[in-house]
Short mmCIF file of all heavy atoms in Angstrom, two decimals:
data_model
loop_
_atom_site.label_atom_id
_atom_site.label_comp_id
_atom_site.label_asym_id
_atom_site.label_seq_id
_atom_site.Cartn_x
_atom_site.Cartn_y
_atom_site.Cartn_z
N MET A 221 -42.66 231.51 19.98
CA MET A 221 -43.29 230.25 20.16
C MET A 221 -42.87 229.82 21.62
O MET A 221 -43.84 229.37 22.32
CB MET A 221 -42.74 229.26 19.18
CG MET A 221 -43.35 227.86 19.49
SD MET A 221 -42.84 226.66 18.23
CE MET A 221 -41.22 226.20 18.73
N THR A 222 -41.74 229.84 22.06
CA THR A 222 -41.30 229.40 23.35
C THR A 222 -42.05 230.07 24.48
O THR A 222 -42.63 229.65 25.34
CB THR A 222 -39.79 229.46 23.57
OG1 THR A 222 -39.13 228.70 22.53
CG2 THR A 222 -39.43 229.00 24.91
N TYR A 223 -42.08 231.53 24.25
CA TYR A 223 -42.73 232.31 25.32
C TYR A 223 -44.16 231.98 25.34
O TYR A 223 -44.83 231.80 26.37
CB TYR A 223 -42.59 233.81 24.99
CG TYR A 223 -43.19 234.75 25.88
CD1 TYR A 223 -42.80 234.97 27.27
CD2 TYR A 223 -44.49 235.28 25.54
CE1 TYR A 223 -43.44 235.85 28.13
CE2 TYR A 223 -45.06 236.09 26.52
CZ TYR A 223 -44.65 236.43 27.72
OH TYR A 223 -45.23 237.16 28.60
N ALA A 224 -44.93 231.94 24.19
CA ALA A 224 -46.36 231.68 24.19
C ALA A 224 -46.65 230.25 24.72
O ALA A 224 -47.64 230.20 25.46
CB ALA A 224 -46.76 231.72 22.68
N ASN A 225 -45.85 229.29 24.47
CA ASN A 225 -46.00 227.97 24.98
C ASN A 225 -45.82 227.95 26.60
O ASN A 225 -46.52 227.33 27.31
CB ASN A 225 -45.24 226.94 24.41
CG ASN A 225 -45.68 226.44 22.96
OD1 ASN A 225 -46.91 226.74 22.63
ND2 ASN A 225 -44.85 225.90 22.19
N SER A 226 -44.69 228.45 27.00
CA SER A 226 -44.24 228.30 28.47
C SER A 226 -44.95 229.24 29.29
O SER A 226 -45.43 228.84 30.39
CB SER A 226 -42.69 228.63 28.34
OG SER A 226 -41.93 227.72 27.78
N VAL A 227 -45.08 230.49 28.94
CA VAL A 227 -45.71 231.53 29.87
C VAL A 227 -47.27 231.66 29.65
O VAL A 227 -48.04 231.71 30.59
CB VAL A 227 -44.99 232.89 29.69
CG1 VAL A 227 -45.56 233.90 30.49
CG2 VAL A 227 -43.52 232.70 29.93
N LEU A 228 -47.72 231.77 28.41
CA LEU A 228 -49.09 231.91 28.15
C LEU A 228 -49.89 230.69 27.97
O LEU A 228 -51.07 230.83 28.00
CB LEU A 228 -49.21 232.77 26.77
CG LEU A 228 -48.43 234.08 26.77
CD1 LEU A 228 -48.53 234.74 25.34
CD2 LEU A 228 -48.88 234.97 27.78
N GLY A 229 -49.18 229.57 27.96
CA GLY A 229 -49.97 228.31 27.88
C GLY A 229 -50.46 227.98 26.61
O GLY A 229 -51.45 227.24 26.36
N ALA A 230 -50.07 228.69 25.49
CA ALA A 230 -50.49 228.31 24.14
C ALA A 230 -49.93 226.93 23.82
O ALA A 230 -49.17 226.29 24.44
CB ALA A 230 -49.81 229.37 23.19
N LYS A 231 -50.57 226.36 22.71
CA LYS A 231 -50.19 225.05 22.35
C LYS A 231 -49.79 225.12 20.88
O LYS A 231 -50.59 224.85 19.92
CB LYS A 231 -51.36 224.08 22.56
CG LYS A 231 -51.69 223.77 23.95
CD LYS A 231 -52.84 222.75 24.07
CE LYS A 231 -53.15 222.50 25.50
NZ LYS A 231 -54.18 221.61 25.67
N THR A 232 -48.56 225.61 20.70
CA THR A 232 -48.12 225.79 19.24
C THR A 232 -47.02 224.78 18.88
O THR A 232 -46.26 224.43 19.82
CB THR A 232 -47.70 227.31 19.10
OG1 THR A 232 -46.53 227.50 19.99
CG2 THR A 232 -48.77 228.27 19.49
N ASN A 233 -46.85 224.67 17.70
CA ASN A 233 -45.73 223.85 16.98
C ASN A 233 -44.96 224.90 16.24
O ASN A 233 -45.27 226.09 15.93
CB ASN A 233 -46.18 222.92 16.10
CG ASN A 233 -46.94 221.69 16.85
OD1 ASN A 233 -46.40 221.18 17.77
ND2 ASN A 233 -48.11 221.31 16.36
N LYS A 234 -43.80 224.54 15.81
CA LYS A 234 -43.04 225.21 14.92
C LYS A 234 -43.54 224.98 13.44
O LYS A 234 -43.22 224.01 12.91
CB LYS A 234 -41.52 225.05 14.98
CG LYS A 234 -40.66 225.88 14.12
CD LYS A 234 -39.14 225.77 14.47
CE LYS A 234 -38.38 226.72 13.75
NZ LYS A 234 -36.92 226.57 13.97
N GLU A 235 -44.49 225.68 13.02
CA GLU A 235 -45.17 225.35 11.74
C GLU A 235 -44.55 226.06 10.43
O GLU A 235 -43.94 227.05 10.65
CB GLU A 235 -46.66 225.90 11.85
CG GLU A 235 -47.43 225.59 12.99
CD GLU A 235 -47.94 224.02 13.00
OE1 GLU A 235 -47.68 223.33 11.95
OE2 GLU A 235 -48.56 223.73 13.98
N GLY A 236 -44.63 225.37 9.40
CA GLY A 236 -44.16 225.88 8.16
C GLY A 236 -45.14 226.96 7.60
O GLY A 236 -46.34 226.94 7.89
N GLY A 237 -44.77 227.65 6.65
CA GLY A 237 -45.64 228.65 5.99
C GLY A 237 -46.96 228.13 5.50
O GLY A 237 -47.99 228.67 5.74
N PRO A 238 -46.91 227.08 4.61
CA PRO A 238 -48.12 226.69 4.01
C PRO A 238 -49.17 226.11 5.02
O PRO A 238 -50.31 226.42 4.85
CB PRO A 238 -47.67 225.42 3.17
CG PRO A 238 -46.15 225.78 2.79
CD PRO A 238 -45.76 226.46 4.03
N SER A 239 -48.72 225.37 5.98
CA SER A 239 -49.69 224.90 7.02
C SER A 239 -50.20 226.14 7.90
O SER A 239 -51.40 225.99 8.32
CB SER A 239 -49.14 223.86 7.88
OG SER A 239 -48.06 224.36 8.69
N THR A 240 -49.49 227.09 8.12
CA THR A 240 -49.92 228.27 8.88
C THR A 240 -51.00 229.00 8.02
O THR A 240 -52.06 229.34 8.67
CB THR A 240 -48.65 229.14 9.18
OG1 THR A 240 -47.78 228.61 9.92
CG2 THR A 240 -49.22 230.42 9.83
N ILE A 241 -50.77 229.21 6.71
CA ILE A 241 -51.75 229.82 5.91
C ILE A 241 -53.04 228.92 5.86
O ILE A 241 -54.07 229.46 5.93
CB ILE A 241 -51.22 230.04 4.49
CG1 ILE A 241 -50.05 231.06 4.59
CG2 ILE A 241 -52.18 230.59 3.53
CD1 ILE A 241 -49.26 231.29 3.38
N ALA A 242 -52.86 227.68 5.78
CA ALA A 242 -54.05 226.92 5.61
C ALA A 242 -54.88 226.95 6.94
O ALA A 242 -56.08 227.02 6.87
CB ALA A 242 -53.73 225.47 5.36
N SER A 243 -54.23 226.92 8.05
CA SER A 243 -54.93 226.99 9.34
C SER A 243 -55.60 228.38 9.45
O SER A 243 -56.68 228.47 9.93
CB SER A 243 -53.92 226.94 10.58
OG SER A 243 -53.50 225.60 10.53
N ALA A 244 -54.93 229.48 8.95
CA ALA A 244 -55.56 230.76 9.05
C ALA A 244 -56.66 230.86 8.10
O ALA A 244 -57.82 231.52 8.49
CB ALA A 244 -54.49 231.80 8.64
N LEU A 245 -56.70 230.18 6.95
CA LEU A 245 -57.84 230.32 6.00
C LEU A 245 -59.09 229.53 6.46
O LEU A 245 -60.22 229.85 6.29
CB LEU A 245 -57.45 229.93 4.65
CG LEU A 245 -56.43 230.91 3.99
CD1 LEU A 245 -55.91 230.23 2.68
CD2 LEU A 245 -57.08 232.23 3.65
N THR A 246 -58.78 228.42 7.17
CA THR A 246 -59.79 227.40 7.35
C THR A 246 -60.21 227.40 8.82
O THR A 246 -61.31 226.98 9.17
CB THR A 246 -59.25 225.93 7.10
OG1 THR A 246 -58.27 225.58 7.96
CG2 THR A 246 -58.87 225.63 5.63
N GLY A 247 -59.41 228.06 9.70
CA GLY A 247 -59.72 227.99 11.05
C GLY A 247 -59.52 226.71 11.78
O GLY A 247 -60.00 226.41 12.96
N LEU A 248 -58.83 225.76 11.03
CA LEU A 248 -58.53 224.33 11.63
C LEU A 248 -57.11 224.09 11.59
O LEU A 248 -56.33 224.69 10.83
CB LEU A 248 -59.25 223.30 10.78
CG LEU A 248 -60.77 223.47 10.49
CD1 LEU A 248 -61.18 222.59 9.33
CD2 LEU A 248 -61.34 223.31 11.73
N THR A 249 -56.60 223.35 12.63
CA THR A 249 -55.23 222.84 12.73
C THR A 249 -55.04 221.40 13.00
O THR A 249 -55.90 220.78 13.66
CB THR A 249 -54.57 223.63 13.91
OG1 THR A 249 -54.76 225.18 13.66
CG2 THR A 249 -53.11 223.32 14.03
N ALA A 250 -54.13 220.81 12.42
CA ALA A 250 -53.83 219.37 12.58
C ALA A 250 -53.58 219.10 13.96
O ALA A 250 -52.95 219.87 14.68
CB ALA A 250 -52.78 218.94 11.61
N GLU A 251 -54.07 217.92 14.51
CA GLU A 251 -53.85 217.54 15.88
C GLU A 251 -52.62 216.76 15.98
O GLU A 251 -52.66 215.48 15.74
CB GLU A 251 -55.09 216.74 16.44
CG GLU A 251 -56.19 217.57 16.62
CD GLU A 251 -57.42 216.71 17.23
OE1 GLU A 251 -58.15 216.20 16.40
OE2 GLU A 251 -57.53 216.78 18.53
N TYR A 252 -51.43 217.23 16.23
CA TYR A 252 -50.13 216.61 16.39
C TYR A 252 -49.24 217.49 17.25
O TYR A 252 -49.56 218.55 17.59
CB TYR A 252 -49.62 216.26 15.02
CG TYR A 252 -48.96 217.50 14.35
CD1 TYR A 252 -47.56 217.66 14.38
CD2 TYR A 252 -49.74 218.53 13.63
CE1 TYR A 252 -47.09 218.94 13.76
CE2 TYR A 252 -49.23 219.55 13.01
CZ TYR A 252 -47.77 219.78 13.17
OH TYR A 252 -47.42 220.92 12.50
N GLY A 253 -47.98 216.93 17.62
CA GLY A 253 -47.02 217.65 18.29
C GLY A 253 -47.52 218.38 19.57
O GLY A 253 -48.23 217.80 20.41
N MET A 254 -47.23 219.64 19.75
CA MET A 254 -47.59 220.37 20.87
C MET A 254 -48.88 220.77 21.02
O MET A 254 -49.34 221.34 22.13
CB MET A 254 -46.57 221.59 21.05
CG MET A 254 -45.23 221.32 21.24
SD MET A 254 -44.85 220.23 22.52
CE MET A 254 -43.80 221.12 23.53
N HIS A 255 -49.75 220.50 20.05
CA HIS A 255 -51.13 220.79 20.10
C HIS A 255 -51.84 219.78 21.02
O HIS A 255 -52.99 220.04 21.47
CB HIS A 255 -51.83 220.68 18.75
CG HIS A 255 -51.42 221.71 17.79
ND1 HIS A 255 -51.59 223.05 17.91
CD2 HIS A 255 -50.72 221.54 16.60
CE1 HIS A 255 -51.10 223.69 16.82
NE2 HIS A 255 -50.52 222.88 16.04
N LEU A 256 -51.11 218.57 21.32
CA LEU A 256 -51.81 217.58 22.17
C LEU A 256 -51.18 217.58 23.57
O LEU A 256 -50.03 217.76 23.75
CB LEU A 256 -51.50 216.17 21.58
CG LEU A 256 -51.97 216.01 20.07
CD1 LEU A 256 -51.48 214.59 19.51
CD2 LEU A 256 -53.49 216.13 20.05
N ASP A 257 -52.07 217.48 24.53
CA ASP A 257 -51.66 217.56 25.96
C ASP A 257 -50.64 216.48 26.32
O ASP A 257 -49.73 216.78 26.98
CB ASP A 257 -52.88 217.39 26.82
CG ASP A 257 -53.75 218.63 26.91
OD1 ASP A 257 -53.29 219.60 26.61
OD2 ASP A 257 -55.02 218.46 27.25
N GLU A 258 -50.75 215.23 25.75
CA GLU A 258 -49.80 214.26 26.10
C GLU A 258 -48.37 214.42 25.53
O GLU A 258 -47.38 213.88 26.06
CB GLU A 258 -50.24 212.81 25.57
CG GLU A 258 -50.49 212.84 24.10
CD GLU A 258 -51.92 213.12 23.61
OE1 GLU A 258 -52.66 213.73 24.41
OE2 GLU A 258 -52.24 212.64 22.53
N ASN A 259 -48.21 215.25 24.57
CA ASN A 259 -46.85 215.71 24.18
C ASN A 259 -46.23 216.88 24.72
O ASN A 259 -45.30 217.35 24.49
CB ASN A 259 -46.85 216.06 22.60
CG ASN A 259 -47.34 214.76 21.85
OD1 ASN A 259 -47.12 213.67 22.27
ND2 ASN A 259 -47.91 215.02 20.62
N ARG A 260 -46.96 217.39 25.83
CA ARG A 260 -46.58 218.67 26.66
C ARG A 260 -45.88 218.40 27.84
O ARG A 260 -45.82 219.24 28.70
CB ARG A 260 -47.66 219.63 26.60
CG ARG A 260 -48.28 220.10 25.25
CD ARG A 260 -49.44 220.93 25.42
NE ARG A 260 -49.11 222.22 26.07
CZ ARG A 260 -48.45 223.24 25.61
NH1 ARG A 260 -47.88 223.08 24.33
NH2 ARG A 260 -48.19 224.26 26.26
N GLN A 261 -45.41 217.08 27.99
CA GLN A 261 -44.77 216.74 29.30
C GLN A 261 -43.19 216.92 29.16
O GLN A 261 -42.65 216.45 28.11
CB GLN A 261 -45.08 215.33 29.73
CG GLN A 261 -46.51 215.06 29.85
CD GLN A 261 -47.27 215.97 30.93
OE1 GLN A 261 -46.62 216.06 31.99
NE2 GLN A 261 -48.28 216.63 30.67
N ALA A 262 -42.58 217.38 30.15
CA ALA A 262 -41.06 217.62 30.06
C ALA A 262 -40.42 216.26 30.21
O ALA A 262 -40.85 215.31 30.95
CB ALA A 262 -40.70 218.48 31.19
N HIS A 263 -39.34 216.09 29.56
CA HIS A 263 -38.42 214.85 29.68
C HIS A 263 -37.29 215.00 30.71
O HIS A 263 -36.88 214.00 31.13
CB HIS A 263 -37.96 214.45 28.29
CG HIS A 263 -38.89 214.08 27.29
ND1 HIS A 263 -38.72 214.64 25.94
CD2 HIS A 263 -40.06 213.59 27.22
CE1 HIS A 263 -39.81 214.15 25.19
NE2 HIS A 263 -40.62 213.59 26.11
N PHE A 264 -37.04 216.18 30.94
CA PHE A 264 -36.01 216.50 32.03
C PHE A 264 -36.14 217.91 32.54
O PHE A 264 -36.81 218.73 31.92
CB PHE A 264 -34.66 216.26 31.45
CG PHE A 264 -34.08 217.20 30.56
CD1 PHE A 264 -33.28 218.25 30.87
CD2 PHE A 264 -34.26 216.91 29.13
CE1 PHE A 264 -32.82 219.16 29.91
CE2 PHE A 264 -33.89 217.90 28.20
CZ PHE A 264 -33.14 218.95 28.64
N VAL A 265 -35.44 218.16 33.60
CA VAL A 265 -35.38 219.56 34.10
C VAL A 265 -34.01 220.09 34.06
O VAL A 265 -33.14 219.32 34.46
CB VAL A 265 -36.03 219.62 35.69
CG1 VAL A 265 -35.78 220.87 36.32
CG2 VAL A 265 -37.41 219.04 35.73
N ALA A 266 -33.81 221.24 33.67
CA ALA A 266 -32.55 222.02 33.53
C ALA A 266 -32.48 222.90 34.80
O ALA A 266 -33.30 223.76 34.88
CB ALA A 266 -32.39 222.73 32.29
N ASP A 267 -31.53 222.50 35.74
CA ASP A 267 -31.37 223.24 36.91
C ASP A 267 -30.32 224.34 36.65
O ASP A 267 -29.03 223.90 36.69
CB ASP A 267 -30.91 222.36 38.06
CG ASP A 267 -30.85 223.03 39.48
OD1 ASP A 267 -31.26 224.30 39.37
OD2 ASP A 267 -30.43 222.42 40.40
N VAL A 268 -30.58 225.49 36.27
CA VAL A 268 -29.62 226.57 35.96
C VAL A 268 -29.27 227.34 37.21
O VAL A 268 -30.15 227.98 37.92
CB VAL A 268 -30.22 227.54 34.88
CG1 VAL A 268 -29.23 228.54 34.43
CG2 VAL A 268 -30.59 226.59 33.72
N ARG A 269 -28.08 227.40 37.52
CA ARG A 269 -27.64 228.08 38.72
C ARG A 269 -26.70 229.33 38.37
O ARG A 269 -25.99 229.87 39.25
CB ARG A 269 -26.87 227.20 39.65
CG ARG A 269 -27.73 226.09 40.17
CD ARG A 269 -27.00 225.02 41.07
NE ARG A 269 -27.93 223.95 41.37
CZ ARG A 269 -28.07 223.53 42.64
NH1 ARG A 269 -27.33 223.99 43.54
NH2 ARG A 269 -28.90 222.58 42.81
N ALA A 270 -26.84 229.67 37.26
CA ALA A 270 -26.06 230.90 36.75
C ALA A 270 -26.91 232.14 36.55
O ALA A 270 -28.17 232.02 36.43
CB ALA A 270 -25.48 230.58 35.40
N LYS A 271 -26.42 233.32 36.66
CA LYS A 271 -27.16 234.56 36.46
C LYS A 271 -27.29 234.71 34.94
O LYS A 271 -26.33 234.93 34.21
CB LYS A 271 -26.39 235.79 37.01
CG LYS A 271 -27.21 236.96 36.95
CD LYS A 271 -26.51 238.12 37.72
CE LYS A 271 -27.40 239.39 37.60
NZ LYS A 271 -26.78 240.45 38.31
N VAL A 272 -28.52 234.64 34.43
CA VAL A 272 -28.86 234.83 33.08
C VAL A 272 -29.72 236.14 33.00
O VAL A 272 -30.91 236.14 33.23
CB VAL A 272 -29.64 233.71 32.46
CG1 VAL A 272 -29.92 233.83 31.12
CG2 VAL A 272 -28.86 232.35 32.71
N ASP A 273 -28.98 237.20 32.56
CA ASP A 273 -29.58 238.55 32.61
C ASP A 273 -29.58 239.44 31.27
O ASP A 273 -29.71 240.50 31.34
CB ASP A 273 -29.21 239.27 33.74
CG ASP A 273 -27.58 239.63 33.70
OD1 ASP A 273 -27.00 239.10 32.62
OD2 ASP A 273 -27.13 240.30 34.62
N SER A 274 -29.35 238.71 30.21
CA SER A 274 -29.36 239.45 28.93
C SER A 274 -29.88 238.38 27.85
O SER A 274 -29.78 237.15 27.95
CB SER A 274 -28.00 239.83 28.66
OG SER A 274 -27.14 238.72 28.18
N PRO A 275 -30.41 239.08 26.76
CA PRO A 275 -30.94 238.29 25.69
C PRO A 275 -29.86 237.21 25.09
O PRO A 275 -30.17 236.15 24.75
CB PRO A 275 -31.39 239.11 24.56
CG PRO A 275 -31.68 240.43 25.47
CD PRO A 275 -30.67 240.44 26.55
N MET A 276 -28.57 237.73 25.05
CA MET A 276 -27.54 236.91 24.44
C MET A 276 -27.35 235.72 25.37
O MET A 276 -27.13 234.52 24.98
CB MET A 276 -26.23 237.69 24.47
CG MET A 276 -25.13 236.96 23.80
SD MET A 276 -23.75 237.93 23.48
CE MET A 276 -23.03 238.08 25.14
N LEU A 277 -27.38 235.83 26.62
CA LEU A 277 -27.18 234.78 27.69
C LEU A 277 -28.41 233.73 27.58
O LEU A 277 -28.19 232.53 27.65
CB LEU A 277 -26.91 235.27 29.04
CG LEU A 277 -25.60 235.86 29.30
CD1 LEU A 277 -25.53 236.38 30.79
CD2 LEU A 277 -24.36 234.90 29.04
N PHE A 278 -29.54 234.37 27.39
CA PHE A 278 -30.76 233.47 27.28
C PHE A 278 -30.60 232.61 26.06
O PHE A 278 -31.05 231.49 25.99
CB PHE A 278 -32.10 234.29 27.31
CG PHE A 278 -32.60 234.57 28.58
CD1 PHE A 278 -32.52 235.86 29.16
CD2 PHE A 278 -33.18 233.58 29.45
CE1 PHE A 278 -33.05 236.17 30.44
CE2 PHE A 278 -33.70 233.99 30.74
CZ PHE A 278 -33.58 235.17 31.18
N GLY A 279 -30.19 233.26 24.91
CA GLY A 279 -30.12 232.49 23.82
C GLY A 279 -29.02 231.41 23.92
O GLY A 279 -29.18 230.31 23.32
N ALA A 280 -27.82 231.69 24.48
CA ALA A 280 -26.88 230.74 24.78
C ALA A 280 -27.27 229.59 25.70
O ALA A 280 -27.00 228.39 25.40
CB ALA A 280 -25.55 231.48 25.36
N LEU A 281 -28.07 229.96 26.60
CA LEU A 281 -28.59 228.97 27.59
C LEU A 281 -29.57 228.02 26.74
O LEU A 281 -29.49 226.84 26.90
CB LEU A 281 -29.32 229.53 28.70
CG LEU A 281 -30.02 228.60 29.64
CD1 LEU A 281 -29.10 227.71 30.34
CD2 LEU A 281 -30.84 229.38 30.79
N GLY A 282 -30.39 228.68 25.92
CA GLY A 282 -31.36 227.72 25.15
C GLY A 282 -30.64 226.82 24.24
O GLY A 282 -30.95 225.66 24.07
N ASN A 283 -29.44 227.21 23.57
CA ASN A 283 -28.67 226.45 22.79
C ASN A 283 -28.11 225.31 23.57
O ASN A 283 -28.10 224.18 23.17
CB ASN A 283 -27.54 227.36 22.07
CG ASN A 283 -26.64 226.59 21.25
OD1 ASN A 283 -25.84 225.65 21.62
ND2 ASN A 283 -26.84 226.76 19.83
N VAL A 284 -27.50 225.50 24.65
CA VAL A 284 -26.93 224.56 25.50
C VAL A 284 -28.07 223.45 25.99
O VAL A 284 -27.82 222.16 25.86
CB VAL A 284 -26.12 225.09 26.78
CG1 VAL A 284 -25.79 223.97 27.74
CG2 VAL A 284 -25.01 225.84 26.25
N VAL A 285 -29.01 223.95 26.46
CA VAL A 285 -30.19 223.04 26.97
C VAL A 285 -30.79 222.28 25.79
O VAL A 285 -31.04 221.05 25.89
CB VAL A 285 -31.32 223.87 27.72
CG1 VAL A 285 -32.51 222.98 28.00
CG2 VAL A 285 -30.78 224.42 29.07
N GLY A 286 -30.87 222.91 24.64
CA GLY A 286 -31.37 222.21 23.51
C GLY A 286 -30.44 221.08 22.98
O GLY A 286 -30.84 220.00 22.63
N ARG A 287 -29.13 221.33 23.11
CA ARG A 287 -28.27 220.32 22.78
C ARG A 287 -28.29 219.08 23.71
O ARG A 287 -28.19 217.90 23.35
CB ARG A 287 -26.81 220.80 22.77
CG ARG A 287 -26.59 221.59 21.54
CD ARG A 287 -25.16 222.31 21.61
NE ARG A 287 -25.06 223.30 20.61
CZ ARG A 287 -24.36 223.19 19.41
NH1 ARG A 287 -23.64 222.08 19.28
NH2 ARG A 287 -24.10 224.08 18.54
N ILE A 288 -28.50 219.38 25.12
CA ILE A 288 -28.51 218.45 26.05
C ILE A 288 -29.86 217.49 25.93
O ILE A 288 -29.89 216.44 26.06
CB ILE A 288 -28.47 218.93 27.58
CG1 ILE A 288 -27.10 219.57 27.74
CG2 ILE A 288 -28.82 218.00 28.58
CD1 ILE A 288 -26.92 220.45 28.97
N ALA A 289 -30.98 218.34 25.58
CA ALA A 289 -32.16 217.71 25.36
C ALA A 289 -32.25 216.62 24.24
O ALA A 289 -32.93 215.63 24.31
CB ALA A 289 -33.34 218.75 25.08
N ASN A 290 -31.43 216.89 23.21
CA ASN A 290 -31.20 215.92 22.16
C ASN A 290 -32.57 215.39 21.65
O ASN A 290 -32.96 214.19 21.51
CB ASN A 290 -30.38 214.72 22.62
CG ASN A 290 -30.01 213.84 21.46
OD1 ASN A 290 -29.65 214.45 20.32
ND2 ASN A 290 -29.67 212.60 21.62
N GLY A 291 -33.57 216.48 21.46
CA GLY A 291 -34.82 216.09 20.75
C GLY A 291 -35.94 215.89 21.76
O GLY A 291 -36.98 215.92 21.47
N GLY A 292 -35.58 215.98 23.13
CA GLY A 292 -36.54 215.83 24.11
C GLY A 292 -37.11 217.33 24.50
O GLY A 292 -36.39 218.23 24.11
N TYR A 293 -37.96 217.34 25.38
CA TYR A 293 -38.51 218.54 25.92
C TYR A 293 -37.98 218.82 27.30
O TYR A 293 -38.37 218.10 28.20
CB TYR A 293 -40.04 218.46 25.93
CG TYR A 293 -40.60 218.29 24.63
CD1 TYR A 293 -41.42 217.24 24.26
CD2 TYR A 293 -40.32 219.17 23.54
CE1 TYR A 293 -42.01 216.91 23.03
CE2 TYR A 293 -40.90 219.11 22.24
CZ TYR A 293 -41.78 217.88 22.05
OH TYR A 293 -42.26 217.73 20.80
N PRO A 294 -37.28 219.91 27.50
CA PRO A 294 -36.89 220.25 28.87
C PRO A 294 -38.11 220.96 29.68
O PRO A 294 -38.98 221.32 29.07
CB PRO A 294 -35.83 221.32 28.64
CG PRO A 294 -36.01 221.91 27.19
CD PRO A 294 -36.74 220.82 26.37
#
């Protein structure tokens, strides 16, 4: 989800199974969350000055930034 939203420009939410299946069957998706342009604005910028060169470090960085974000979007 993060890669698709950040790099590919997708507009996805973290959906649950039932809504994902309903969207797949109907071809429709509810308009909320990251599907809307106005919700895709960052609340802050994380200036990372460390070398992050492994999946484990990216995961750790994501954890730290997520805690700092406290529900906001970095």
